[in-house]
Amino acid sequence: MDTLALAINNLISPIILSFVLGLCAALARSDLTIPEAVAKGMSIYLLFAIGFKGGAGVAAHGVDGTLIATIFAGIILSFALPFIAFALLRVMTPFDTINSAAVAAHYGSISIVTFVAATSVLEGQGLDPEGYMVAVAAVMEAPAILSALWLVSRSGGTTTASSGLYREIMLNGSIVLLVGSFLIGMITGEKGLNQIAPFIIAPFQGVLCLFLLDMGLVAGRGLRETRGDLGLGAIGFGILMPLIGSIIGLAAGLLIGLSSGGVALLMTLSASASYIAVPAAMRVALPEARPSIYLTLSLGVTFPFNLTIGIPLYASLAATFTGG
Amino acid sequence: MDTLALAINNLISPIILSFVLGLCAALARSDLTIPEAVAKGMSIYLLFAIGFKGGAGVAAHGVDGTLIATIFAGIILSFALPFIAFALLRVMTPFDTINSAAVAAHYGSISIVTFVAATSVLEGQGLDPEGYMVAVAAVMEAPAILSALWLVSRSGGTTTASSGLYREIMLNGSIVLLVGSFLIGMITGEKGLNQIAPFIIAPFQGVLCLFLLDMGLVAGRGLRETRGDLGLGAIGFGILMPLIGSIIGLAAGLLIGLSSGGVALLMTLSASASYIAVPAAMRVALPEARPSIYLTLSLGVTFPFNLTIGIPLYASLAATFTGG
Amino acid sequence: MDTLALAINNLISPIILSFVLGLCAALARSDLTIPEAVAKGMSIYLLFAIGFKGGAGVAAHGVDGTLIATIFAGIILSFALPFIAFALLRVMTPFDTINSAAVAAHYGSISIVTFVAATSVLEGQGLDPEGYMVAVAAVMEAPAILSALWLVSRSGGTTTASSGLYREIMLNGSIVLLVGSFLIGMITGEKGLNQIAPFIIAPFQGVLCLFLLDMGLVAGRGLRETRGDLGLGAIGFGILMPLIGSIIGLAAGLLIGLSSGGVALLMTLSASASYIAVPAAMRVALPEARPSIYLTLSLGVTFPFNLTIGIPLYASLAATFTGG
Amino acid sequence: METHQAKRVEIIIEAPLERRLTETLVKEGVTGFTVLPVLGGSGRSGQWSRDGQVSLASGMVAVVCLIRPDRLDALLESAFAVVERHIGVVSITDAEVLRAERF
Amino acid sequence: METHQAKRVEIIIEAPLERRLTETLVKEGVTGFTVLPVLGGSGRSGQWSRDGQVSLASGMVAVVCLIRPDRLDALLESAFAVVERHIGVVSITDAEVLRAERF
Amino acid sequence: METHQAKRVEIIIEAPLERRLTETLVKEGVTGFTVLPVLGGSGRSGQWSRDGQVSLASGMVAVVCLIRPDRLDALLESAFAVVERHIGVVSITDAEVLRAERF
Ligand SMILES: Nc1ncnc2c1ncn2[C@@H]1O[C@H](COP(=O)(O)O)[C@@H](O)[C@H]1O
Ligand SMILES: Nc1ncnc2c1ncn2[C@@H]1O[C@H](COP(=O)(O)O)[C@@H](O)[C@H]1O
Ligand SMILES: Nc1ncnc2c1ncn2[C@@H]1O[C@H](COP(=O)(O)O)[C@@H](O)[C@H]1O
Ligand code: NA
Ligand code: NA
Ligand code: NA
């Protein structure tokens, strides 16, 4: 079966295996670590490269009419998904309102590394998704947080969200870098891309390997330290939610009429869970929510699921439905 | 007009726009930051690459007779420019002797990143400047500091410059790395260059983008925190001084008979202001001088000016006068 | 003479000269430093790249029959060499049992950077050693530690080696990364290698230069701070031991019937001394042993010797004896 | 040498709250403090280590503040307002400082 | 504000021993501590600096531990068992903490 | 456990002066100290943060020094000679140490 072949093929890529290596090293309690500064440096590189390439793509193919529609769809998805996640969590897990809302925020938002991994898988298949999907990723980061805070205050919980918080979320480093490099790519276009291609394109896959090695280490340490905190219900949610998210993303993508690759990326964005912007915001706005719950679910369950099974699945579903 | 075209063309390069991105992010108080270790790592890469390429260039084209003359010119410029800067500062700004001398030291010395940016602009125009201009950059780093200290002691101020200081300045990490890699490039020449070209040439422009992103962040934060400290006079100085410096550099370059590219680089060196070697030396030797003044002038005013307007201007003036 | 030519040629490579630059900078007390995080990042890159390439090599050429034999030889060499080193040290130096055993452990184990440098020298000569030599390097890291601890306890000394220590040594970050990336390379083979070649092959030599620059800085600082601690006897040992080790490695390699390149690498591994895995283990297990002794010998004497004279010597001896 | 009584307040707090804390301190007129990095730690909310952290979500910093004894309470009040609902600890030790005019 | 007596124990120890020390502390029921990075230092075994260290062999960390006075001795005993034969120093200062329930 | 009186001196000083300070300490016979990194801070000369610093010009470090009480003044004198005209603060706290022979 095509999907299976894809999945296998996807599984034995250096990227995935690097993640697995990190995961195993952490679970075996190896002292292998990647310095924080290097990890941050690599994520800055990845954000800059993916943003720039997206922008250059838009400059090359021009802004087709569906751009606006997709941006809007992204914002709405990010606002809406937390409500579904919240409802599921109340049913499937023993988590209280605050923890459920915090987790829900993560699943409304997105994981940029999952997005990057999906992009390189799709490019491996010769598809090239709309460049502006990067902008869609950027706009999907924040709205989910507002939904979560609303869910908490509605059910009488108090948040420590200050006015400053919203500015901070919008100006979150990763959002600014992603949008900024996207604009730079759009402005400098082909010419700019050629100038720095040996930096942002050639070594990209390799850097992604080391970054996923680090993700594996972090996910593994998280899993080891919080074994107790997650019941079967929670783990089930961590696998069910991305599937639901991807289906909704699929519907939205088809409605808008994105390319096969674009649909696959919108599905991936909807299916992925944040582990950078949202956790930081939660520490500030919902301090009582336990990081060990939402980080482990997002990094330890949903991220590996999307990386290994999700992405090829979404890709083939997108291909089937777009007939592409 | 050619210069204008150059300027515009220069302005929409990924390098400049990355700097602008950093500047805007900082002014908007985004939490985007590049870890200190990564920033230091990038500057080590840039120094090593530019030094090595310069040395390999000399190995390729041989040492033409003007080498010695240019080195001398560089040393003299670095000694002399602080006096002009000092005089201007006393007239244009309310700064006292110590602060004026400290600022003057920065403008006699050089900014290696400005030098690097100029090099890549010139290469973009198909010019290739004398490789040994890197060595000239190195010798121009330190002398200005001595002039500044002399200015202070002459006017009765006391410095805490110890004998150790001079050794430290000469053995400053960036000088050692620049000169060292220059020598390595000269010794290993073509062969050595080919061995590591995929590392020091291919990704160079891209690394420079991320480095300038960081420079923009630092400059922006500096500007935000020290808004008050700089009057119009100071800002005016930060723009006038590089112009004066570049003219003097132009004259020197023409006298020596450098190539069009070489003249442009000598102008850039004279016009640029230090923000690494000199600030550290000032903290040790003139602790009463306020970093918020000299760092903001050098990083927040003169550096952006050179990067955006200065370099293309110097390049076209050099071209005009060398008839190149 | 061929060896001499090789040696000279080897000496004027960017890699060696970068090490020399670092050494000189440190001895001249320059403040040039490479941030710890960047140094660790580079070593992670080198381990990942060398491991992956080794694995891909095995995938390409298939596992020839000598693989198992070589692995065994490596383990035995690592166990055995410390005894020879220990005997030599007791004769040549005034070190007590504990310090002698600690030093001996370093010489039974291996230096991966020496291995990497040797590989790139051999590739420069068009030889391509068996890919699995990387695996041999990995298995040689640890056994020497056990021999050293046995030497201490035998002579009545007490070690603070806990059961946990052995797990730690086996799961030492560098071993895990080297073996892990080796396996990834073996699994993904040609295809995987092509995906990330622009990252792990193209810039490899350049990164190695910066890494050796850092090694030079560290070695130089070590030499400066511990001038007193090493007598002539110790320094003699630091040069004699690698020669003895390499001869034994030569014999083993010929017995097994490795290729000329493979023999040269086995010689290099036997001749090289650890400075990462073993020192950390010694701090835990033999705290009374003085780091200034074993680090200086390994980093300040043997490493430079192997890098400059050893490697070309081993390469030409291997070529002579394998008639390759 | 002449020294002056002071209090050394050490606040270990989550990185995402650092800006809030320092802004509060400055608002309270506490303009002197130093922020130190923290590699890892352990507390009621479990053990964590910074190395390899993708996000700083769970990172922490130590804010050290030397202050005149009479201003201690004001500082603690405002600091506590920030730390209260969050992970972290506050400790105070007696100290002496040179150059009292700075505090 | 109400504060409570506590002891602040600062243990400067070699990086390779950090895990052993913290594991010992946890075994002793000392579940609260913070680990800070150390750039360099000097002692009887000479001077060292972290920057550019290839290995962490000679690196160090500072472990800060706030603890109820009555539990101090237990902590020192167990900490000393780890530090004893190793490079490093242990210092104790009187401190006060907010939120005693945490200690 | 048996402990011994000591003073804990904490000097927060600009990075470019670190070498000078430690050299002075060593000259004064103070051979024991630890240098910790500083992320940022705020004082009379304004607020600064290390992250993204191109130069260390405005970076700082914390030098911690445990010393026998009777040697405190000598240390303060020499430290002050270095810090005097520079940005930075010096604080002293009473402490106890294990293994007095080391100090
Ligand atoms: N008793 C303690 N001594 C030192 N640091 C502590 C202590 N308790 C907690 N911490 C620090 O504060 C952080 C959060 O503590 P907690 O809120 O108890 O989870 C821990 O990760 C430690 O870094
Ligand atoms: N008196 C002291 N004050 C502060 N730190 C010290 C002192 N003595 C030693 N250290 C630290 O402990 C490490 C090892 O000390 P030692 O065991 O004396 O070599 C040194 O590198 C310093 O970081
Ligand atoms: N009261 C204080 N408490 C803690 N650290 C301080 C204090 N005052 C100044 N500092 C530190 O010393 C540096 C320089 O202070 P200043 O000389 O006042 O500008 C600041 O950036 C802080 O890191
Ligand atoms: Na999502
Ligand atoms: Na200049
Ligand atoms: Na060996």
Side-chain angles (χ1 to χ4, degrees):
Chain A
M1 185 191 132
D2 184 32
T3 313
L4 186 63
L6 263 175
I8 303 297
N9 175 17
N10 177 41
L11 283 179
I12 63 164
S13 74
I15 292 171
I16 307 291
L17 293 177
S18 300
F19 178 80
V20 174
L21 172 58
L23 206 60
C24 298
L27 292 175
R29 316 196 55 230
S30 162
D31 67 353
L32 176 61
T33 52
I34 292 183
E36 181 192 9
V38 174
K40 277 187 84 178
M42 288 193 292
S43 69
I44 286 167
Y45 167 85
L46 293 174
L47 288 165
F48 181 80
I50 196 85
F52 196 101
K53 279 184 277 185
V58 171
H61 307 149
V63 178
D64 69 40
T66 61
L67 166 59
I68 310 299
T70 323
I71 298 275
F72 264 103
I75 296 174
I76 292 162
L77 282 165
S78 180
F79 268 120
L81 289 168
F83 291 91
I84 300 168
F86 186 78
L88 272 177
L89 284 158
R90 304 298 280 153
V91 180
M92 296 176 70
T93 72
F95 302 152
D96 61 12
T97 320
I98 292 204
N99 281 304
S100 303
V103 173
H106 289 70
Y107 284 81
S109 181
I110 59 111
S111 149
I112 199 69
V113 178
T114 313
F115 176 81
V116 167
T119 312
S120 59
V121 167
L122 294 168
E123 284 166 355
Q125 299 172 23
L127 301 169
D128 90 292
E130 290 80 358
Y132 55 70
M133 291 309 294
V134 171
V136 179
V139 297
M140 287 181 74
E141 287 237 24
I145 297 169
L146 306 184
S147 305
L149 298 185
W150 184 84
L151 279 165
V152 169
S153 43
R154 186 209 55 173
S155 50
T158 68
T159 77
T160 55
S162 66
S163 68
L165 176 66
Y166 301 113
R167 230 195 70 274
E168 260 175 53
I169 294 170
M170 295 305 166
L171 292 175
N172 170 287
S174 51
I175 298 182
V176 168
L177 184 52
L178 198 59
V179 174
S181 51
F182 176 80
L183 293 175
I184 296 178
M186 237 171 82
I187 299 172
T188 61
E190 199 71 22
K191 184 150 164 301
L193 186 62
N194 295 335
Q195 249 176 300
I196 62 175
F199 177 66
I200 66 172
I201 290 180
F204 189 82
Q205 298 272 335
V207 177
L208 188 54
C209 285
L210 285 190
F211 190 76
L212 284 176
L213 173 67
D214 186 45
M215 297 278 297
L217 288 167
V218 176
R221 299 219 161 87
L223 284 173
R224 221 183 54 227
E225 275 162 19
T226 59
R227 237 178 285 75
D229 300 357
L230 295 186
L232 275 182
I235 292 168
F237 168 84
I239 292 171
L240 180 59
M241 186 61 206
L243 292 174
I244 297 176
S246 66
I247 301 301
I248 300 176
L250 173 63
L254 294 175
L255 265 172
I256 299 167
L258 291 172
S259 74
S260 165
V263 171
L265 285 184
L266 192 58
M267 292 174 74
T268 306
L269 288 172
S270 313
S272 70
S274 169
Y275 53 81
I276 295 184
V278 179
M282 289 301 115
R283 291 315 304 148
V284 174
L286 294 179
E288 286 84 0
R290 291 172 49 202
S292 56
I293 292 178
Y294 50 70
L295 278 178
T296 311
L297 261 180
S298 161
L299 256 176
V301 180
T302 299
F303 179 73
F305 171 77
N306 280 327
L307 199 61
T308 51
I309 300 169
I311 291 174
L313 178 64
Y314 311 147
S316 66
L317 284 178
T320 320
F321 281 93
T322 57
Chain B
M1 183 194 133
D2 184 32
T3 313
L4 186 63
L6 264 175
I8 303 296
N9 175 17
N10 177 40
L11 284 178
I12 64 165
S13 74
I15 291 170
I16 308 292
L17 293 177
S18 300
F19 179 80
V20 174
L21 172 57
L23 206 61
C24 298
L27 292 175
R29 316 196 54 229
S30 162
D31 67 354
L32 177 61
T33 52
I34 292 184
E36 181 194 9
V38 174
K40 277 189 85 178
M42 288 193 292
S43 69
I44 286 167
Y45 167 85
L46 293 173
L47 288 165
F48 182 79
I50 197 83
F52 196 102
K53 279 184 278 186
V58 171
H61 305 151
V63 179
D64 69 40
T66 61
L67 167 59
I68 310 299
T70 323
I71 298 274
F72 265 103
I75 296 173
I76 292 162
L77 283 166
S78 181
F79 269 121
L81 290 168
F83 291 92
I84 301 169
F86 186 79
L88 273 176
L89 285 158
R90 303 298 280 153
V91 180
M92 297 176 70
T93 71
F95 302 151
D96 60 13
T97 321
I98 291 205
N99 281 303
S100 303
V103 173
H106 289 70
Y107 284 81
S109 181
I110 59 115
S111 148
I112 199 71
V113 179
T114 314
F115 176 81
V116 167
T119 312
S120 59
V121 167
L122 294 168
E123 283 167 356
Q125 299 172 25
L127 301 169
D128 89 291
E130 289 78 358
Y132 55 69
M133 290 310 294
V134 171
V136 179
V139 298
M140 287 182 74
E141 288 238 21
I145 297 170
L146 305 184
S147 305
L149 298 185
W150 185 85
L151 280 165
V152 170
S153 43
R154 186 209 54 175
S155 50
T158 68
T159 76
T160 54
S162 66
S163 67
L165 177 65
Y166 302 112
R167 233 197 67 271
E168 261 174 52
I169 295 170
M170 294 305 164
L171 291 175
N172 170 288
S174 49
I175 298 182
V176 169
L177 184 53
L178 198 58
V179 173
S181 51
F182 176 80
L183 293 176
I184 296 178
M186 236 169 83
I187 298 172
T188 61
E190 198 71 22
K191 186 150 163 300
L193 186 61
N194 295 336
Q195 249 176 302
I196 63 175
F199 177 64
I200 66 172
I201 290 180
F204 189 82
Q205 297 272 336
V207 177
L208 188 54
C209 285
L210 284 191
F211 190 75
L212 284 176
L213 173 67
D214 186 44
M215 297 277 297
L217 288 166
V218 176
R221 301 221 160 89
L223 285 172
R224 221 183 55 225
E225 275 162 19
T226 60
R227 239 177 284 74
D229 299 355
L230 294 186
L232 276 182
I235 293 167
F237 169 84
I239 292 169
L240 180 59
M241 186 60 206
L243 292 173
I244 297 177
S246 66
I247 301 301
I248 300 176
L250 173 63
L254 294 174
L255 265 172
I256 299 167
L258 290 172
S259 74
S260 164
V263 171
L265 286 184
L266 193 57
M267 292 174 73
T268 306
L269 289 172
S270 313
S272 70
S274 168
Y275 53 82
I276 294 185
V278 179
M282 289 302 114
R283 291 315 304 146
V284 175
L286 294 179
E288 286 86 359
R290 290 173 48 207
S292 56
I293 292 179
Y294 51 70
L295 277 178
T296 311
L297 262 179
S298 161
L299 255 176
V301 179
T302 300
F303 179 73
F305 171 77
N306 280 327
L307 199 61
T308 51
I309 300 169
I311 291 173
L313 178 63
Y314 311 146
S316 67
L317 285 178
T320 320
F321 281 91
T322 57
Chain C
M1 183 192 129
D2 184 32
T3 312
L4 186 63
L6 263 175
I8 303 296
N9 175 17
N10 177 39
L11 283 178
I12 63 164
S13 75
I15 291 172
I16 308 290
L17 292 176
S18 299
F19 178 80
V20 174
L21 172 58
L23 206 61
C24 298
L27 293 175
R29 313 196 57 229
S30 161
D31 67 353
L32 176 60
T33 51
I34 292 185
E36 182 193 8
V38 174
K40 277 188 83 177
M42 288 193 292
S43 69
I44 286 167
Y45 166 85
L46 293 174
L47 288 166
F48 181 80
I50 197 84
F52 195 103
K53 279 184 277 188
V58 171
H61 306 150
V63 179
D64 66 43
T66 62
L67 167 58
I68 309 300
T70 322
I71 298 274
F72 264 102
I75 296 174
I76 292 162
L77 283 165
S78 181
F79 269 119
L81 289 168
F83 291 91
I84 299 168
F86 187 78
L88 273 176
L89 285 158
R90 305 297 280 154
V91 179
M92 298 176 69
T93 71
F95 303 152
D96 61 12
T97 321
I98 292 203
N99 281 304
S100 302
V103 173
H106 289 71
Y107 284 81
S109 181
I110 59 114
S111 147
I112 199 70
V113 179
T114 313
F115 177 81
V116 168
T119 312
S120 59
V121 167
L122 294 169
E123 283 167 356
Q125 299 173 25
L127 299 169
D128 90 289
E130 290 79 357
Y132 55 69
M133 290 310 292
V134 171
V136 178
V139 298
M140 287 181 73
E141 288 239 21
I145 297 169
L146 306 185
S147 304
L149 298 185
W150 184 84
L151 279 164
V152 170
S153 42
R154 187 210 53 175
S155 50
T158 67
T159 76
T160 54
S162 65
S163 67
L165 176 65
Y166 301 112
R167 232 196 67 274
E168 260 175 51
I169 294 170
M170 294 306 165
L171 293 175
N172 170 287
S174 50
I175 298 182
V176 169
L177 184 51
L178 198 58
V179 173
S181 51
F182 177 79
L183 293 176
I184 296 178
M186 238 171 80
I187 299 172
T188 61
E190 199 70 23
K191 185 151 165 300
L193 185 62
N194 294 336
Q195 249 176 300
I196 64 175
F199 177 65
I200 66 172
I201 290 178
F204 189 83
Q205 298 271 337
V207 177
L208 188 55
C209 286
L210 285 190
F211 190 76
L212 284 175
L213 173 67
D214 186 44
M215 297 277 298
L217 288 166
V218 176
R221 299 219 161 89
L223 285 173
R224 222 183 53 226
E225 276 161 21
T226 59
R227 237 177 285 77
D229 300 357
L230 294 187
L232 277 182
I235 292 168
F237 168 85
I239 292 170
L240 179 59
M241 187 60 206
L243 292 174
I244 296 176
S246 66
I247 301 302
I248 300 176
L250 172 63
L254 294 174
L255 263 173
I256 298 167
L258 291 173
S259 74
S260 164
V263 171
L265 286 184
L266 193 57
M267 292 173 74
T268 306
L269 289 172
S270 312
S272 70
S274 169
Y275 52 82
I276 295 185
V278 179
M282 289 301 114
R283 292 313 305 146
V284 174
L286 295 178
E288 286 84 0
R290 290 172 50 204
S292 56
I293 292 178
Y294 50 71
L295 279 178
T296 312
L297 261 180
S298 160
L299 256 175
V301 179
T302 299
F303 179 72
F305 171 77
N306 280 327
L307 199 60
T308 50
I309 301 169
I311 291 173
L313 178 65
Y314 311 147
S316 66
L317 283 179
T320 320
F321 281 92
T322 57
Chain D
M1 278 182 81
E2 194 206 3
T3 61
H4 311 266
Q5 286 300 322
K7 294 284 188 180
R8 181 181 186 276
V9 182
E10 188 174 58
I11 305 169
I12 294 166
I13 190 171
E14 300 176 274
L17 288 156
E18 177 192 336
R19 194 194 276 181
R20 278 178 181 59
L21 176 61
T22 53
E23 279 170 359
T24 316
L25 292 178
V26 171
K27 236 194 276 91
E28 283 295 320
V30 180
T31 56
F33 53 82
T34 300
V35 183
L36 289 87
V38 169
L39 281 182
S42 160
R44 296 178 320 155
S45 53
Q47 208 158 341
W48 63 275
S49 157
R50 161 155 296 189
D51 238 341
Q53 291 276 352
V54 187
S55 81
L56 288 187
S58 51
M60 321 227 8
V61 295
V63 178
V64 172
C65 188
L66 295 160
I67 188 168
R68 287 211 316 278
D70 56 311
R71 311 202 35 224
L72 178 63
D73 262 350
L75 180 148
L76 290 183
E77 298 291 353
S78 56
F80 191 67
V82 176
V83 183
E84 190 178 11
R85 297 180 56 194
H86 292 277
I87 288 174
V89 295
V90 180
S91 66
I92 307 104
T93 51
D94 292 326
E96 288 163 278
V97 293
L98 303 181
R99 310 197 277 185
E101 69 282 4
R102 289 171 162 261
F103 298 91
Chain E
M1 275 184 81
E2 195 206 3
T3 60
H4 312 267
Q5 285 300 321
K7 294 284 186 179
R8 180 182 187 278
V9 182
E10 188 174 57
I11 306 170
I12 294 166
I13 190 169
E14 300 176 273
L17 287 156
E18 177 192 337
R19 195 195 273 181
R20 275 176 183 59
L21 176 61
T22 52
E23 279 170 358
T24 318
L25 292 179
V26 172
K27 232 189 283 92
E28 282 295 320
V30 180
T31 56
F33 53 84
T34 299
V35 183
L36 289 86
V38 169
L39 281 182
S42 161
R44 296 177 320 156
S45 53
Q47 207 157 344
W48 64 275
S49 156
R50 161 154 297 190
D51 238 341
Q53 291 278 350
V54 188
S55 81
L56 289 188
S58 52
M60 316 219 24
V61 295
V63 177
V64 172
C65 189
L66 295 159
I67 188 168
R68 286 209 319 274
D70 56 311
R71 311 203 33 225
L72 178 62
D73 262 349
L75 180 148
L76 290 183
E77 298 292 353
S78 55
F80 191 67
V82 177
V83 183
E84 192 177 10
R85 297 179 57 192
H86 292 278
I87 288 174
V89 295
V90 180
S91 66
I92 306 105
T93 52
D94 292 326
E96 287 163 279
V97 293
L98 304 180
R99 310 199 276 187
E101 70 284 5
R102 287 169 164 264
F103 299 91
Chain F
M1 273 182 87
E2 194 206 4
T3 61
H4 312 266
Q5 285 300 323
K7 294 284 186 179
R8 181 182 186 277
V9 182
E10 188 174 57
I11 305 170
I12 293 166
I13 191 170
E14 301 176 274
L17 288 155
E18 177 191 336
R19 196 195 273 180
R20 278 178 180 56
L21 176 61
T22 52
E23 279 170 359
T24 316
L25 292 178
V26 172
K27 234 192 279 92
E28 283 295 320
V30 180
T31 55
F33 52 82
T34 300
V35 184
L36 289 86
V38 169
L39 280 182
S42 160
R44 296 176 320 152
S45 53
Q47 208 157 342
W48 64 274
S49 157
R50 163 156 292 191
D51 237 342
Q53 291 276 352
V54 187
S55 80
L56 288 189
S58 51
M60 319 223 18
V61 296
V63 177
V64 172
C65 190
L66 296 160
I67 189 169
R68 287 212 316 275
D70 57 311
R71 311 202 34 222
L72 178 63
D73 262 349
L75 181 148
L76 290 184
E77 298 291 352
S78 56
F80 191 66
V82 176
V83 184
E84 192 177 9
R85 297 179 56 193
H86 293 277
I87 289 174
V89 294
V90 181
S91 65
I92 306 104
T93 52
D94 293 327
E96 287 162 278
V97 293
L98 304 181
R99 309 197 276 186
E101 69 284 4
R102 289 171 162 262
F103 298 92

